[in-house]
Amino acid sequence: MERNNVKSSIDKLQARGDLFTRQLIKEKKRTNELQIKLKEVNAQIAEIRESNKQKAICLLNKYSTTPNDAYHRVDGVNPTSLAESNQKKIVKTLESRLGKVLVRRNQLENENALIKDKIDKLRRKIANDIKNRERMEKELIHIKDDMDEIMERAAAAAEEREKLIVKRNQILEENDEKQLIFEKK
């Protein structure tokens, strides 16, 4: 019964470990995909930024007569710094998501390691239990053999005792008869 419980707990732990392993693999794939997409998005952002920068410079310089083109605007908005701050926000958000995914992956790896350790401990315990049971069965067989031998000797001693008691009773009866004969004389 206990062996079935241990086996079922091992099976449950192995199933759980397999689940975590599959989740870990999925998370690794997802992380790789996210990193590839991040590189693609960064490239697109750089392309769009450069394109927007050129368009903004052309637009600003259309009616401007400043000596330092694209840096003096009437409304005070700098499209380059806006694009940089937006990109920094996006990067910060993606880095935060990546950090959370990495933390979750590490947690899954740690849980997997713990489950594997539990499974290994249970396997060692089962192996030790089997060895102990075999040793105890051998001892029990040896003790049974010793008990059989002792019982045979005890039975032989009991038979001998019965014979001696019968013989003693016969001797006592003979003695009583001789005593009676002697007293009659």
Side-chain angles (χ1 to χ4, degrees), residues 116-141:
K116 286 178 183 178
D117 287 343
K118 284 182 183 177
I119 290 170
D120 289 342
K121 286 178 183 175
L122 287 172
R123 285 181 179 156
R124 283 193 296 272
K125 184 181 181 299
I126 288 172
N128 285 338
D129 289 347
I130 290 171
K131 286 179 185 175
N132 287 339
R133 187 177 318 116
E134 289 173 353
R135 184 179 47 81
M136 288 179 160
E137 285 174 357
K138 286 179 183 177
E139 282 183 31
L140 185 61
I141 290 170

Side-chain angles (χ1 to χ4, degrees), residues 10-97:
I10 287 175
D11 291 342
K12 287 178 185 177
L13 289 173
Q14 265 185 324
R16 191 168 175 211
D18 292 342
L19 174 69
F20 285 131
T21 303
R22 285 192 297 275
Q23 287 178 345
L24 179 66
I25 291 170
K26 285 180 185 177
E27 289 298 322
K28 283 182 179 179
K29 285 181 182 177
R30 189 167 171 250
T31 303
N32 288 338
E33 290 173 2
L34 286 174
Q35 287 176 344
I36 291 170
K37 288 191 180 200
L38 179 64
K39 287 178 184 176
E40 291 174 3
V41 168
N42 281 338
Q44 288 175 353
I45 288 172
E47 231 177 80
I48 292 171
R49 222 172 120 210
E50 191 59 37
S51 168
N52 286 344
K53 185 176 179 182
Q54 292 303 322
K55 288 177 186 176
I57 289 172
C58 287
L59 184 64
L60 288 175
N61 291 335
K62 190 172 185 179
Y63 301 108
S64 175
T65 57
T66 61
N68 197 359
D69 292 341
Y71 288 105
H72 298 289
R73 287 198 45 187
V74 176
D75 60 359
V77 175
N78 187 349
T80 307
S81 65
L82 283 176
E84 284 180 16
S85 67
N86 285 339
Q87 186 179 16
K88 285 181 183 177
K89 286 179 186 175
I90 291 170
V91 168
K92 189 178 266 186
T93 303
L94 291 175
E95 284 176 348
S96 172
R97 287 175 57 193

